[in-house]
C-alpha cells in the first residue's frame, strides 16, 4: 500500500524535529512522520485555515493557523511508538489575525512560548500546570517581524529577540519573578530583513546568537556577563568624564552593546563575534548542532558546535569553528537550484547530529546520513509527496512504477524500495499545472498541461540504469 502525501507548506516555520520524528504542516493539516521508517503515520485535523507554524514542545506539538488560533496536540503513549494523537488544548481569541510564527522554550519547571500574528502583535505565553496563559502582548504595528526566538539567560530571566524588515535585532528581557518584560537594545548590522535566529550555550560561559538575513549573511553575536568592574564603567559613562569616549568605543558601538540583567548592577555585553558569508542569496534558516556522532548537550565547547544555514540559493552549509574563524566544512543541496528549490528549513535530525533533514520551496524533503566509516554524508530516504492537488496517476507498462502529476507543476515517479514505496525520480518540472499523464513503452511519459501541446519525457541513458537498479 502506498499513499502520496502532501509535502510541507511554503512557510519557513512549518517543519520541526524531535526524537526521530518530524512534524510538518500542509494546508490545514499537521502531519507526524518517522524518519527512521520514512513513513508519515499521523495527520492532525483541526485548523480551519492554512497552518503557518509547527513546533515541538516536549512530547507535544503546537501549531498556529491562519484563523488566528493555536492548537496543542498531545500523544497518548509513546510518540515514537505511533501512539494515539489528539487535540489537547485550543487557544482561540487571543490573536485576531493569522498567526505566522511560533517560538518555544521547553523547561522542566515551566515552558514559555511566543506567537506572532500578521497584525503586528507578539504574545508571550507561559505554561500553567496543564495549559498556557498569556503573560503580556507587544504591538509592533507596521514593523512586521519575520523572526522571533526565546532563550534562557540566567536563573532570573529569559531573553527574547525579534527581527524583521527593519533589519534590526530587538532584545527584550523577561524577569521571571515579576513577569516584567523590558526592552534592552537593538543590534545593528544586517542590510536586509532578518529571517531566523538560533541560540547556543557554550562551555566558556557565553551565549551565542546566530541571525540569518536576506542580505545572504549570518551574524554571530556573543552574549557574555561582565565582571564586577562594570559598575564603575557604567558610572563613568553616565557621569561623562574624560574616559567616556574610550569606554564608549570599547563597550558601546555598532558591534558592541551593554544591557543590565535581572539583578541590579549585573551587566551583559553583546558583541559581534563573526560575520559568515558563503551563500549567494538570502538565508532562511539557521540551526545549532554538534559534530557528527556527538550528542548536542546543554552546554558545549565552541569547537564542538556546528551551525547549519539554509538559503534561497538552494544551498545548505555546515559551519565549524577552526582556531579563530568559522569555516564551511560541508555543503548540501542541489547544484544551480534556483529559487524554486530554496531551502526553507534545515535541521539536525538525530540525537547524535549524524543526520540532516531539510525541506525546500517546491515541497521536497531532503535527508543526509553521516557514514562514519567513509567520513561522508550520504542521501537518505524520506517521506515526500506533492504540495499541490494530484490531478492524475498512472502505472508504467511493467507495473513496477507509479507516476503522478499535480497542480504543483511536477511529475513524480514512485518505486518500491524494500517493503515500502518511495519517490525515486522527478522526470520533469513543468512550467504549467499538469492535468494528465500516461506511461508508454520505451520509458516515455507524455503529459498534458495548461500549455497547448502534449510533451513526451524520456528516460536518459544515465537515469535508466539507476531506476532499474531500485
Amino acid at each position: 500500500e502506498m499513499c502520496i502525501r502532501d509535502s510541507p507548506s511554503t512557510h519557513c516555520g512549518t517543519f520541526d524535529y524531535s526524537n526521530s520524528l518530524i512534524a510538518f504542516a500542509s494546508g490545514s493539516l499537521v502531519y507526524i512522520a518517522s524518519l527512521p521508517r520514512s513513513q508519515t503515520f499521523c495527520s492532525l485535523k483541526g485548523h480551519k485555515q492554512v497552518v503557518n507554524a509547527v513546533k515541538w514542545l516536549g512530547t507535544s506539538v503546537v501549531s498556529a493557523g491562519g484563523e488566528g488560533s493555536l492548537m496543542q496536540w498531545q500523544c497518548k503513549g509513546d510518540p515514537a511508538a505511533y501512539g494515539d494523537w489528539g487535540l489537547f488544548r485550543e487557544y482561540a481569541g487571543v490573536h485576531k489575525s493569522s498567526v505566522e510564527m511560533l517560538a518555544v522554550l521547553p523547561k522542566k519547571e515551566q515552558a514559555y512560548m511566543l506567537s506572532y500574528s500578521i497584525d503586528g502583535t507578539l504574545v508571550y505565553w507561559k505554561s500553567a500546570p496543564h495549559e498556557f496563559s498569556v503573560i503580556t502582548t507587544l504591538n509592533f504595528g507596521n514593523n512586521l517581524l519575520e523572526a522571533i526566538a526565546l532563550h534562557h539567560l540566567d536563573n532570573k530571566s529569559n531573553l527574547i529577540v525579534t527581527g524583521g524588515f527593519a533589519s534590526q535585532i530587538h532584545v527584550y528581557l523577561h524577569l521571571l519573578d515579576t513577569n516584567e518584560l523590558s526592552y534592552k537594545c537593538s543590534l545593528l548590522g544586517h542590510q536586509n530583513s532578518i529571517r531566523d535566529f538560533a541560540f547556543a550555550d557554550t562551555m566558556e560561559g557565553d551565549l551565542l546568537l546566530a541571525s540569518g538575513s536576506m542580505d545572504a549573511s549570518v551574524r554571530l553575536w556573543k552574549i557574555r556577563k561582565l565582571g564586577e568592574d562594570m559598575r564603575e564603567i557604567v558610572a563613568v559613562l553616565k557621569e561623562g568624564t574624560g574616559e567616556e569616549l574610550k569606554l564608549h568605543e570599547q563597550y558601546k558601538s555598532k558591534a558592541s552593546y551593554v544591557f543590565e540583567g535581572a539583578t541590579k548592577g549585573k551587566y551583559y555585553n553583546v558583541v559581534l563575534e563573526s560575520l559568515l558569508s558563503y551563500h549567494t542569496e538570502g538565508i532562511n534558516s539557521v540551526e545549532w548542532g554538534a559534530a557528527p556522532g556527538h550528542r548536542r548537550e546543554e552546554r558545549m565547547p565552541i569547537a564542538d558546535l556546528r551551525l547549519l544555514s539554509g538559503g534561497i540559493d538552494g544551498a545548505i552549509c555546515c559551519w565549524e569553528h577552526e582556531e579563530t574563524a568559522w569555516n564551511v566544512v560541508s555543503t548540501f543541496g542541489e547544484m544551480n537550484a534556483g529559487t524554486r528549490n530554496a531551502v526553507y528549513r534545515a535541521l539536525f535530525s538525530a540525537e547524535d547530529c549524524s543526520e540532516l533533514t531539510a525541506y525546500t520551496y517546491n515541497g521536497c524533503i531532503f535527508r543526509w546520513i553521516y557514514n562514519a566509516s567513509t567520513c561522508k554524508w550520504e542521501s537518505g530516504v524520506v517521506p515526500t509527496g506533492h504540495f499541490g492537488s494530484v490531478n492524475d496517476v498512472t502505472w508504467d507498462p511493467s507495473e513496477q512504477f507509479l507516476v503522478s502529476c499535480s497542480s504543483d507543476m511536477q511529475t513524480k515517479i514512485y518505486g518500491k524500495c524494500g517493503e515500502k514505496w518511495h519517490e525515486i525520480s522527478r522526470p520533469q518540472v513543468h512550467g504549467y499545472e499538469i492535468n494528465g499523464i500516461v506511461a508508454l513503452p520505451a520509458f516515455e511519459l507524455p503529459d498534458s498541461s495548461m500549455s497547448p501541446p502534449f510533451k513526451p519525457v524520456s528516460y536518459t541513458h544515465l537515469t535508466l540504469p539507476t531506476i532499474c537498479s531500485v
Side-chain angles (χ1 to χ4, degrees), residues 406-425:
S406 167
S407 60
D408 61 9
M409 307 181 188
Q410 296 182 6
T411 58
K412 298 176 184 284
I413 298 179
Y414 295 85
K416 194 170 185 179
C417 302
E419 297 298 324
K420 300 178 182 178
W421 287 80
H422 298 287
E423 177 187 341
I424 58 176
S425 177

Side-chain angles (χ1 to χ4, degrees), residues 72-87:
Q72 185 177 1
W73 309 90
Q74 193 75 42
C75 178
K76 298 178 181 178
D78 184 8
Y82 295 1
D84 186 18
W85 285 83
L87 181 62

Side-chain angles (χ1 to χ4, degrees), residues 252-298:
K252 290 189 175 181
S253 66
K254 291 184 178 180
S256 180
Y257 306 83
V258 174
F259 66 88
E260 188 174 17
T263 303
K264 189 175 182 180
K266 300 290 185 180
Y267 293 87
Y268 290 86
N269 181 214
V270 186
V271 62
L272 179 62
E273 170 74 7
S274 298
L275 174 63
L276 312 184
S277 181
Y278 186 91
H279 293 272
T280 58
E281 295 191 54
I283 294 173
N284 286 324
S285 170
V286 287
E287 174 78 9
W288 287 104
H294 294 74
R295 292 183 61 87
R296 171 73 188 276
E297 305 292 344
E298 185 175 349

Side-chain angles (χ1 to χ4, degrees), residues 47 102 122 182 219 282 322 341 346 359 365 378 396 401 422:
H47 288 282
L102 289 174
L122 179 68
S182 58
R219 287 178 177 256
E322 298 177 348
N341 289 309
Y359 84 91
I365 301 178
E378 301 174 352
D396 80 300
F401 306 106
H422 298 287

Side-chain angles (χ1 to χ4, degrees), residues 35-95:
L35 284 178
R37 303 181 184 182
S38 186
Q39 183 179 13
T40 302
F41 63 88
C42 182
S43 61
L44 308 176
K45 183 178 180 180
H47 288 282
K48 298 180 178 63
Q49 296 184 28
V50 63
V51 178
N52 298 318
V54 172
K55 288 291 182 182
W56 282 95
L57 185 63
T59 58
S60 64
V61 172
V62 181
S63 58
E67 73 279 1
S69 66
L70 306 180
M71 293 187 179
Q72 185 177 1
W73 309 90
Q74 193 75 42
C75 178
K76 298 178 181 178
D78 184 8
Y82 295 1
D84 186 18
W85 285 83
L87 181 62
F88 179 69
R89 287 284 188 279
E90 180 179 2
Y91 307 97
V94 177
H95 289 285

Side-chain angles (χ1 to χ4, degrees), residues 35 86 121 209 238 264 281 315 317 324 370 379 390 444 455:
L35 284 178
T121 57
L209 169 64
K238 290 182 178 179
K264 189 175 182 180
E281 295 191 54
C317 299
T324 59
Y370 186 75
S379 297
V390 178
E444 289 189 348
K455 298 183 178 180

